[in-house]
């Protein structure tokens, strides 16, 4: 635990230097967006990686967080800093609601995945229909730079904000790995019936995980809203976010502390590499990205972190595959 | 009440649209039922097949319905190779990895289509594109009537393959009990690939029947793929009759919800049914308990 | 089109390599000396969604911008800068606002003097804001949502009209056409797509049409994609409106008009506003019968302008369609070139200044000389077109018209 904590602190410290050491604003922005997707991936990881419950619908939480903070700010004049925890809570509540229904009825595996996808779609359609979200026109947050407004004239503010969120997510995950709750969650992932036999309240454990996961994704949504100042139903609840949220941790290593971070940086790196190769031929770079994705899965079935651990174990003379 | 006047035609429309959904879902339910994988590439394979039909028509003047005997076997082979050569090899049989691999494959197919064929929406005009059948209460477009009949035929054909052939028996055995099937000497990898091939062939048949009344663009798969999943779950994974009935139900639901709730909000009906089925009867209407 | 795309490919590769190197090595302030040498080329960011759901429009837009750059370079570049050539820096927003904003950062470091793009309003809101931070002039090509230019960003210029202007003009022209024919039409049904432009348009129509003597029977919003239009068309048939006003993307418009023909529904007019297909040569070519007499209020060029006619030929020779995305971007690049000519430098502040004081009259849009107030070109307005015997004719306003409106639609 201490070593992991040390690693987190070292990582955060190194990242904190990025705005000062990296001169290129493009690359600073790149790191910032990688951190943003790492946050969403870390949120997914709690439920999917540690809890074994695959969600295809994390946009439901992301979008709720985004809309909640934007609506509070635009329609009710609430300061974004105050709206932020509310957004996390609202997204957590949506998580609890979806979790309550689906776990109550014992949905697992692909059934659970599909039900989360369907909920995200329902929310997208609702956002397209109810007036408070601005319907299809979307919701524009007035441009009013100032740290008090959670709008930073300079990207550095946004950088430290997302770094703080990622730090929070990492510490939360670290706690999870070493807490009784985390142990129960992993037990549920490995074998629900066995966990139940050992006295684990499976339903409540999963419910807590999806609530926590949803709340974290909601923070990401709030961040996105303050960064780009515009939301529409497709941005908030569309499938793109759900896909990113699951890609990042699976590629990086599910159920590991640093998996989502690794996955996010790796995927963004791969995407940049593909652009470098074919950047100006529309579509070809994304096709290459797809090929690289398949190759990554083929050669690193346990994710980047899993592979790193295996190699490390070998080097240290353990000789056994993890 | 306008809604009441057009209730009957709306139901008929829902049935014909639903038949198209069923067609697309038939292949998916086979893949889902046997391989237990959520095939993210299904939509992009549909798109690819629609382009094949389009180019056969545009380049060689082959009618989309007459393209069936070319496109269907071609896509069977493509599906077989895709499963055996790419998906099985890259995923190591793990669910989350299959997911990523099919996702990766769909990204590749879609963007190559954009690169080679541009993002234009393309349509074909056939002598029967604007023809309709007058049913007294409503005009139904000829291509939709054909698609309806096609859905019934494909369902029947699949049912025949599954229940009357050795291949079908092997597939069913595999779907039920993987280890057992291996023990009695079934070539699991081959049968998996055959299932994927048949599923892909179904989507090719859907493409031939769909194109005369629709359009094709690199993103067209997204238009149908979510609906197809809904149909599969509603009907019961692996059930062909279920997919057919599920497709028709979803088609009518969409049509009626559109009529009464508005075409925008009406889409919600599909997903509410989907959620309700998942919660209260996850095996679907005609599925078996796993 | 691939040749257009292949044309310039050094910029991004060279730049990213350099950027990566600088970020890792120097670590101090990255790109101190952005390429602004007087004799060197002027870099221009060409940013569109060339992949994802908006890819068709994005690629059309990119092609238009690239053709303009090619022509400008052929005829001697920017004269006041010693014949400096325009060098495109291409960007793909992937139909996502966050990707669009990231591309702006990339373009900033590539040292662009200005950015043209990014077609969609949702992306424009993100990219104009990102460009503003670096004081890069951002010419918005389409992005019709009003808020794109009303946020007080000094770097943002929209050459074409915004949504309010488009709908207002559409209403004025509809009234004029109806009055001209002796007021045969009184009832209207609106069929619109559910995103920003369709919803925004329907809202304004519902506010203003009743005051102009029209009764709106029903407003139908539909999803993107909508897979079947029979219900909508059946509703139209049952309620017999005089005029149907559709506003949707190309795919949906194709299905809608095909269904109208199948169900034999013929109102007195189909009057599209920002119709995805009614002003599209492709649609007219592929569905000549369904397209006949459809009117559209949309972005359109001055058909009598020789530059436009020549460009149209060139575009068609390349196997592309001459759509509004294409010609608007073509003219946005020419607008920029004219501003550069007056600025005599690629310096960003000077470019913004030159655009703000722009009086560009040599373009082929029916706008008159440009005049920007708060970033909006005041003369910009849509026009009305109508499909008549396989040709798209401009029917309104009269000073640009190439044909008279046919209204009401003659019986088949």
């Amino acid at each position: 635990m201490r070593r992991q904590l040390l690693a987190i602190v070292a990582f955060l410290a190194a990242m904190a230097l990025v705005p000062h050491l990296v001169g290129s604003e493009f690359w600073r922005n790149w790191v910032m967006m990688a951190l943003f997707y790492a946050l969403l991936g870390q949120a997914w990881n709690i439920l999917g990686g540690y809890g074994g419950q695959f969600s295809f619908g994390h946009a439901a939480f992301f979008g709720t967080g985004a809309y909640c903070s934007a609506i509070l700010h635009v329609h009710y004049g609430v300061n974004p800093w105050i709206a932020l925890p509310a957004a996390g809570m609202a997204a957590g509540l949506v998580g609890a609601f979806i979790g309550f229904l689906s776990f109550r009825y014992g949905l697992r595996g692909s059934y659970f995945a599909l039900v989360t996808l369907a909920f995200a779609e329902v929310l997208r359609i609702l956002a397209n229909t109810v007036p408070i979200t601005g319907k299809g026109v979307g919701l524009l947050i007035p441009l009013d730079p100032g740290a008090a407004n959670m709008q930073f004239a300079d990207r550095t503010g946004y950088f430290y904000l997302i770094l703080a969120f990622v730090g929070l997510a990492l510490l939360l995950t670290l706690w999870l790995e070493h807490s009784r709750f985390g142990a129960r969650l992993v037990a549920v992932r490995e074998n629900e019936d066995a966990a139940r036999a050992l006295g684990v309240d499976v339903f409540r454990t999963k419910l807590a995980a999806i609530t926590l996961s949803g709340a974290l994704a909601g923070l990401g949504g709030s961040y996105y809203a303050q960064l780009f100042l515009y939301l529409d139903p497709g941005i908030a609840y569309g499938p793109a976010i759900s896909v990113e949220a699951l890609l990042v941790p699976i590629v990086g290593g599910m159920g590991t502390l640093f998996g989502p971070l690794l996955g996010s940086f790796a995927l963004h790196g791969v995407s940049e590499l593909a652009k470098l190769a074919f950047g100006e031929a529309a579509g070809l770079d994304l096709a290459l990205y797809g090929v690289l994705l398949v190759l990554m899965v083929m050669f690193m079935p346990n994710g980047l972190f899993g592979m790193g651990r295996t190699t490390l174990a070998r080097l240290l003379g353990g000789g056994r595959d993890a | 009440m306008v809604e009441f006047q057009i209730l009957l035609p709306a139901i008929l429309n829902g049935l014909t649209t639903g038949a198209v959904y069923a067609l697309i879902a038939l292949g998916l339910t086979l893949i889902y039922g046997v391989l237990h994988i959520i095939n993210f590439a299904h939509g992009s394979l549909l798109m690819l097949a629609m382009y094949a039909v389009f180019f056969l028509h545009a380049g060689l003047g082959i009618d989309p319905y007459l393209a069936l005997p070319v496109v269907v076997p071609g896509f069977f082979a493509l599906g077989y190779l895709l499963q055996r050569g790419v998906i099985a090899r890259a995923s190591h049989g793990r669910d989350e990895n299959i997911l990523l691999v099919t996702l990766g494959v769909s990204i590749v197919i879609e963007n190559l289509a954009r690169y080679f064929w541009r993002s234009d929406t393309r349509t074909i005009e056939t002598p029967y594109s604007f023809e309709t059948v007058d049913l007294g209460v409503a005009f139904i477009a000829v291509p939709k009537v054909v698609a309806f009949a096609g859905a019934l035929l494909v369902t029947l054909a699949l049912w025949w393959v599954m229940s009357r052939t050795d291949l079908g028996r092997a597939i069913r055995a595999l779907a039920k009990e993987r280890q057992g099937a291996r023990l009695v000497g079934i070539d699991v990898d081959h049968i998996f690939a055959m299932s994927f091939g048949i599923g892909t062939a179904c989507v090719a048949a859907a493409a031939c029947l769909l194109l005369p009344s629709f359009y094709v663009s690199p993103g067209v798969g997204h238009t149908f793929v979510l609906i197809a999943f809904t149909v599969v779950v509603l009907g019961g994974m692996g059930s062909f009759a279920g997919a057919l009935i599920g497709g028709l139900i979803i088609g009518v639901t969409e049509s009626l919800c559109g009529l009464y709730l508005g075409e925008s909000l009406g889409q919600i009906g599909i997903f509410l049914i989907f959620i309700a089925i998942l919660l209260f009867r996850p095996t679907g209407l005609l599925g078996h308990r796993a | 089109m691939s040749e257009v795309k292949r044309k310039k490919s050094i910029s991004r590769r060279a730049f990213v390599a350099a950027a990566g190197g600088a970020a890792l090595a120097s670590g101090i302030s990255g790109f101190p000396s952005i390429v602004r040498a007087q004799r060197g080329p002027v870099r221009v960011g060409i940013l569109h969604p060339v992949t994802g759901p908006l890819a068709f429009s994005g690629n059309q837009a990119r092609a238009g911008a690239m053709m303009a750059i090619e022509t400008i370079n052929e005829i001697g570049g920017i004269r006041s800068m010693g014949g400096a050539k325009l060098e495109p820096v291409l960007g793909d927003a992937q139909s996502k606002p966050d990707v669009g904003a990231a591309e702006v950062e990339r373009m900033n470091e590539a040292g662009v003097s200005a950015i043209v793009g990014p077609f969609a309003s949702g992306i424009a809101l993100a990219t104009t804001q990102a460009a503003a931070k670096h004081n890069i002039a951002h010419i918005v090509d389409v992005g019709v949502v009003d808020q794109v230019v009303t946020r007080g960003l000094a770097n943002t210029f929209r050459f074409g009209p915004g949504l309010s202007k488009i709908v207002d003009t559409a209403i004025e022209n509809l009234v004029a056409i109806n009055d001209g024919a002796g007021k045969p039409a009184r009832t209207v049904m609106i069929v619109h797509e559910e995103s920003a432009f369709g919803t925004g348009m329907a809202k304004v129509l519902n506010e203003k049409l009743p005051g102009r003597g029209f009764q709106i029977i029903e407003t139908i919003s539909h999803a993107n994609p909508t897979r079947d239009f029979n219900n909508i068309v059946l509703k139209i048939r049952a309620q017999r409106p005089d005029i149907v006003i559709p506003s949707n993307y190309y795919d949906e418009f194709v299905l809608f008009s095909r269904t109208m023909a199948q169900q034999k529904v013929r109102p007195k007019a189909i009057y599209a506003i920002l119709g995805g297909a009614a002003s599209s040569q492709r649609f007219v070519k592929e569905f000549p019968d369904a397209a006949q007499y459809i009117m559209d209020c949309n972005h359109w060029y001055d058909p009598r302008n020789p530059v436009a006619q020549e460009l149209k030929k060139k575009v068609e020779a390349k196997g592309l369609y001459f759509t509004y995305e294409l010609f608007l971007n073509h003219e946005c690049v020419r607008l920029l070139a004219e501003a550069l000519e007056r600025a005599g430098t690629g310096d960003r502040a000077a470019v913004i200044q030159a655009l703000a004081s722009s009086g560009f009259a040599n373009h082929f849009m029916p706008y008159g000389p440009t005049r920007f107030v708060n970033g909006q070109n005041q003369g910009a307005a849509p026009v009305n077109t109508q499909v008549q015997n396989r040709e798209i004719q401009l029917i309104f306003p009269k000073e640009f018209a190439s044909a008279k409106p046919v209204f009401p639609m003659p019986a088949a």
Side-chain angles (χ1 to χ4, degrees), chain A residues 285-303:
Chain A
D285 60 326
L286 285 175
L288 178 63
Y289 173 82
V291 170
L292 291 173
L293 179 62
V294 171
L295 289 177
M296 275 160 88
V297 176
M298 188 184 289
F299 292 110
M300 293 175 273
N302 295 320

PDB file of all heavy atoms in Angstrom, chain A residues 285-303:
ATOM      1  N   ASP A 285      -6.354   7.432 -40.771  1.00  0.00           N
ATOM      2  CA  ASP A 285      -5.718   7.408 -39.455  1.00  0.00           C
ATOM      3  C   ASP A 285      -6.572   6.633 -38.459  1.00  0.00           C
ATOM      4  O   ASP A 285      -6.055   5.867 -37.651  1.00  0.00           O
ATOM      5  CB  ASP A 285      -5.434   8.826 -38.961  1.00  0.00           C
ATOM      6  CG  ASP A 285      -6.678   9.673 -38.839  1.00  0.00           C
ATOM      7  OD1 ASP A 285      -7.596   9.485 -39.661  1.00  0.00           O
ATOM      8  OD2 ASP A 285      -6.757  10.507 -37.928  1.00  0.00           O
ATOM      9  N   LEU A 286      -7.898   6.802 -38.544  1.00  0.00           N
ATOM     10  CA  LEU A 286      -8.765   6.075 -37.615  1.00  0.00           C
ATOM     11  C   LEU A 286      -8.744   4.579 -37.919  1.00  0.00           C
ATOM     12  O   LEU A 286      -8.823   3.748 -37.008  1.00  0.00           O
ATOM     13  CB  LEU A 286     -10.185   6.612 -37.683  1.00  0.00           C
ATOM     14  CG  LEU A 286     -10.364   7.963 -36.992  1.00  0.00           C
ATOM     15  CD1 LEU A 286     -11.776   8.495 -37.217  1.00  0.00           C
ATOM     16  CD2 LEU A 286     -10.100   7.848 -35.501  1.00  0.00           C
ATOM     17  N   ALA A 287      -8.631   4.228 -39.207  1.00  0.00           N
ATOM     18  CA  ALA A 287      -8.553   2.814 -39.564  1.00  0.00           C
ATOM     19  C   ALA A 287      -7.285   2.201 -38.960  1.00  0.00           C
ATOM     20  O   ALA A 287      -7.316   1.106 -38.392  1.00  0.00           O
ATOM     21  CB  ALA A 287      -8.558   2.655 -41.087  1.00  0.00           C
ATOM     22  N   LEU A 288      -6.196   2.930 -39.029  1.00  0.00           N
ATOM     23  CA  LEU A 288      -4.949   2.440 -38.456  1.00  0.00           C
ATOM     24  C   LEU A 288      -5.080   2.309 -36.932  1.00  0.00           C
ATOM     25  O   LEU A 288      -4.602   1.345 -36.332  1.00  0.00           O
ATOM     26  CB  LEU A 288      -3.799   3.391 -38.812  1.00  0.00           C
ATOM     27  CG  LEU A 288      -2.438   3.024 -38.229  1.00  0.00           C
ATOM     28  CD1 LEU A 288      -1.968   1.689 -38.769  1.00  0.00           C
ATOM     29  CD2 LEU A 288      -1.400   4.096 -38.537  1.00  0.00           C
ATOM     30  N   TYR A 289      -5.764   3.272 -36.342  1.00  0.00           N
ATOM     31  CA  TYR A 289      -6.032   3.220 -34.907  1.00  0.00           C
ATOM     32  C   TYR A 289      -6.770   1.920 -34.554  1.00  0.00           C
ATOM     33  O   TYR A 289      -6.433   1.237 -33.591  1.00  0.00           O
ATOM     34  CB  TYR A 289      -6.858   4.448 -34.527  1.00  0.00           C
ATOM     35  CG  TYR A 289      -7.375   4.500 -33.115  1.00  0.00           C
ATOM     36  CD1 TYR A 289      -6.575   4.935 -32.074  1.00  0.00           C
ATOM     37  CD2 TYR A 289      -8.686   4.133 -32.829  1.00  0.00           C
ATOM     38  CE1 TYR A 289      -7.052   5.006 -30.781  1.00  0.00           C
ATOM     39  CE2 TYR A 289      -9.177   4.193 -31.540  1.00  0.00           C
ATOM     40  CZ  TYR A 289      -8.360   4.634 -30.520  1.00  0.00           C
ATOM     41  OH  TYR A 289      -8.839   4.686 -29.257  1.00  0.00           O
ATOM     42  N   GLY A 290      -7.759   1.568 -35.378  1.00  0.00           N
ATOM     43  CA  GLY A 290      -8.497   0.328 -35.160  1.00  0.00           C
ATOM     44  C   GLY A 290      -7.588  -0.891 -35.240  1.00  0.00           C
ATOM     45  O   GLY A 290      -7.668  -1.797 -34.411  1.00  0.00           O
ATOM     46  N   VAL A 291      -6.716  -0.895 -36.240  1.00  0.00           N
ATOM     47  CA  VAL A 291      -5.789  -2.022 -36.400  1.00  0.00           C
ATOM     48  C   VAL A 291      -4.883  -2.123 -35.173  1.00  0.00           C
ATOM     49  O   VAL A 291      -4.677  -3.212 -34.615  1.00  0.00           O
ATOM     50  CB  VAL A 291      -4.937  -1.850 -37.678  1.00  0.00           C
ATOM     51  CG1 VAL A 291      -3.822  -2.884 -37.724  1.00  0.00           C
ATOM     52  CG2 VAL A 291      -5.809  -1.960 -38.918  1.00  0.00           C
ATOM     53  N   LEU A 292      -4.361  -0.986 -34.738  1.00  0.00           N
ATOM     54  CA  LEU A 292      -3.466  -1.001 -33.583  1.00  0.00           C
ATOM     55  C   LEU A 292      -4.205  -1.472 -32.325  1.00  0.00           C
ATOM     56  O   LEU A 292      -3.642  -2.186 -31.489  1.00  0.00           O
ATOM     57  CB  LEU A 292      -2.871   0.395 -33.364  1.00  0.00           C
ATOM     58  CG  LEU A 292      -1.882   0.838 -34.451  1.00  0.00           C
ATOM     59  CD1 LEU A 292      -1.473   2.284 -34.262  1.00  0.00           C
ATOM     60  CD2 LEU A 292      -0.647  -0.063 -34.467  1.00  0.00           C
ATOM     61  N   LEU A 293      -5.472  -1.091 -32.234  1.00  0.00           N
ATOM     62  CA  LEU A 293      -6.277  -1.532 -31.093  1.00  0.00           C
ATOM     63  C   LEU A 293      -6.368  -3.059 -31.064  1.00  0.00           C
ATOM     64  O   LEU A 293      -6.153  -3.702 -30.031  1.00  0.00           O
ATOM     65  CB  LEU A 293      -7.670  -0.901 -31.191  1.00  0.00           C
ATOM     66  CG  LEU A 293      -8.672  -1.264 -30.111  1.00  0.00           C
ATOM     67  CD1 LEU A 293      -8.173  -0.796 -28.756  1.00  0.00           C
ATOM     68  CD2 LEU A 293     -10.034  -0.657 -30.410  1.00  0.00           C
ATOM     69  N   VAL A 294      -6.666  -3.634 -32.241  1.00  0.00           N
ATOM     70  CA  VAL A 294      -6.769  -5.096 -32.315  1.00  0.00           C
ATOM     71  C   VAL A 294      -5.419  -5.744 -31.960  1.00  0.00           C
ATOM     72  O   VAL A 294      -5.353  -6.722 -31.211  1.00  0.00           O
ATOM     73  CB  VAL A 294      -7.234  -5.533 -33.719  1.00  0.00           C
ATOM     74  CG1 VAL A 294      -7.142  -7.041 -33.872  1.00  0.00           C
ATOM     75  CG2 VAL A 294      -8.660  -5.064 -33.972  1.00  0.00           C
ATOM     76  N   LEU A 295      -4.350  -5.155 -32.476  1.00  0.00           N
ATOM     77  CA  LEU A 295      -3.021  -5.727 -32.194  1.00  0.00           C
ATOM     78  C   LEU A 295      -2.686  -5.642 -30.698  1.00  0.00           C
ATOM     79  O   LEU A 295      -2.098  -6.564 -30.134  1.00  0.00           O
ATOM     80  CB  LEU A 295      -1.950  -4.991 -33.010  1.00  0.00           C
ATOM     81  CG  LEU A 295      -2.002  -5.287 -34.510  1.00  0.00           C
ATOM     82  CD1 LEU A 295      -0.963  -4.471 -35.248  1.00  0.00           C
ATOM     83  CD2 LEU A 295      -1.804  -6.780 -34.776  1.00  0.00           C
ATOM     84  N   MET A 296      -3.072  -4.519 -30.082  1.00  0.00           N
ATOM     85  CA  MET A 296      -2.804  -4.379 -28.659  1.00  0.00           C
ATOM     86  C   MET A 296      -3.517  -5.470 -27.872  1.00  0.00           C
ATOM     87  O   MET A 296      -2.958  -6.059 -26.934  1.00  0.00           O
ATOM     88  CB  MET A 296      -3.271  -2.999 -28.164  1.00  0.00           C
ATOM     89  CG  MET A 296      -2.231  -1.909 -28.384  1.00  0.00           C
ATOM     90  SD  MET A 296      -2.978  -0.279 -28.358  1.00  0.00           S
ATOM     91  CE  MET A 296      -2.916   0.115 -26.649  1.00  0.00           C
ATOM     92  N   VAL A 297      -4.771  -5.742 -28.253  1.00  0.00           N
ATOM     93  CA  VAL A 297      -5.518  -6.785 -27.554  1.00  0.00           C
ATOM     94  C   VAL A 297      -4.874  -8.148 -27.816  1.00  0.00           C
ATOM     95  O   VAL A 297      -4.755  -8.992 -26.930  1.00  0.00           O
ATOM     96  CB  VAL A 297      -6.991  -6.784 -28.005  1.00  0.00           C
ATOM     97  CG1 VAL A 297      -7.745  -7.915 -27.349  1.00  0.00           C
ATOM     98  CG2 VAL A 297      -7.641  -5.457 -27.675  1.00  0.00           C
ATOM     99  N   MET A 298      -4.421  -8.329 -29.062  1.00  0.00           N
ATOM    100  CA  MET A 298      -3.856  -9.625 -29.430  1.00  0.00           C
ATOM    101  C   MET A 298      -2.583  -9.915 -28.637  1.00  0.00           C
ATOM    102  O   MET A 298      -2.406 -11.009 -28.118  1.00  0.00           O
ATOM    103  CB  MET A 298      -3.550  -9.627 -30.935  1.00  0.00           C
ATOM    104  CG  MET A 298      -3.148 -10.992 -31.453  1.00  0.00           C
ATOM    105  SD  MET A 298      -2.687 -10.994 -33.200  1.00  0.00           S
ATOM    106  CE  MET A 298      -4.185 -10.764 -34.060  1.00  0.00           C
ATOM    107  N   PHE A 299      -1.742  -8.898 -28.505  1.00  0.00           N
ATOM    108  CA  PHE A 299      -0.451  -9.162 -27.871  1.00  0.00           C
ATOM    109  C   PHE A 299      -0.419  -8.823 -26.386  1.00  0.00           C
ATOM    110  O   PHE A 299       0.524  -9.197 -25.691  1.00  0.00           O
ATOM    111  CB  PHE A 299       0.652  -8.419 -28.623  1.00  0.00           C
ATOM    112  CG  PHE A 299       0.849  -8.990 -29.996  1.00  0.00           C
ATOM    113  CD1 PHE A 299       0.483  -8.295 -31.125  1.00  0.00           C
ATOM    114  CD2 PHE A 299       1.368 -10.283 -30.144  1.00  0.00           C
ATOM    115  CE1 PHE A 299       0.630  -8.839 -32.385  1.00  0.00           C
ATOM    116  CE2 PHE A 299       1.527 -10.837 -31.403  1.00  0.00           C
ATOM    117  CZ  PHE A 299       1.153 -10.120 -32.528  1.00  0.00           C
ATOM    118  N   MET A 300      -1.421  -8.134 -25.901  1.00  0.00           N
ATOM    119  CA  MET A 300      -1.451  -7.816 -24.482  1.00  0.00           C
ATOM    120  C   MET A 300      -2.825  -8.137 -23.909  1.00  0.00           C
ATOM    121  O   MET A 300      -3.567  -7.233 -23.527  1.00  0.00           O
ATOM    122  CB  MET A 300      -1.116  -6.344 -24.272  1.00  0.00           C
ATOM    123  CG  MET A 300       0.304  -6.008 -24.639  1.00  0.00           C
ATOM    124  SD  MET A 300       0.593  -4.253 -24.510  1.00  0.00           S
ATOM    125  CE  MET A 300       0.104  -3.688 -26.098  1.00  0.00           C
ATOM    126  N   PRO A 301      -3.168  -9.417 -23.877  1.00  0.00           N
ATOM    127  CA  PRO A 301      -4.535  -9.769 -23.470  1.00  0.00           C
ATOM    128  C   PRO A 301      -4.860  -9.345 -22.041  1.00  0.00           C
ATOM    129  O   PRO A 301      -6.022  -9.213 -21.699  1.00  0.00           O
ATOM    130  CB  PRO A 301      -4.571 -11.289 -23.630  1.00  0.00           C
ATOM    131  CG  PRO A 301      -3.150 -11.718 -23.650  1.00  0.00           C
ATOM    132  CD  PRO A 301      -2.366 -10.582 -24.215  1.00  0.00           C
ATOM    133  N   ASN A 302      -3.861  -9.118 -21.213  1.00  0.00           N
ATOM    134  CA  ASN A 302      -4.151  -8.696 -19.848  1.00  0.00           C
ATOM    135  C   ASN A 302      -4.084  -7.182 -19.687  1.00  0.00           C
ATOM    136  O   ASN A 302      -4.092  -6.675 -18.576  1.00  0.00           O
ATOM    137  CB  ASN A 302      -3.165  -9.331 -18.870  1.00  0.00           C
ATOM    138  CG  ASN A 302      -3.334 -10.829 -18.840  1.00  0.00           C
ATOM    139  OD1 ASN A 302      -4.452 -11.325 -18.879  1.00  0.00           O
ATOM    140  ND2 ASN A 302      -2.224 -11.548 -18.829  1.00  0.00           N
ATOM    141  N   GLY A 303      -3.987  -6.486 -20.789  1.00  0.00           N
ATOM    142  CA  GLY A 303      -3.864  -5.045 -20.699  1.00  0.00           C
ATOM    143  C   GLY A 303      -2.424  -4.647 -20.486  1.00  0.00           C
ATOM    144  O   GLY A 303      -1.570  -5.477 -20.153  1.00  0.00           O
TER     145      GLY A 303
END
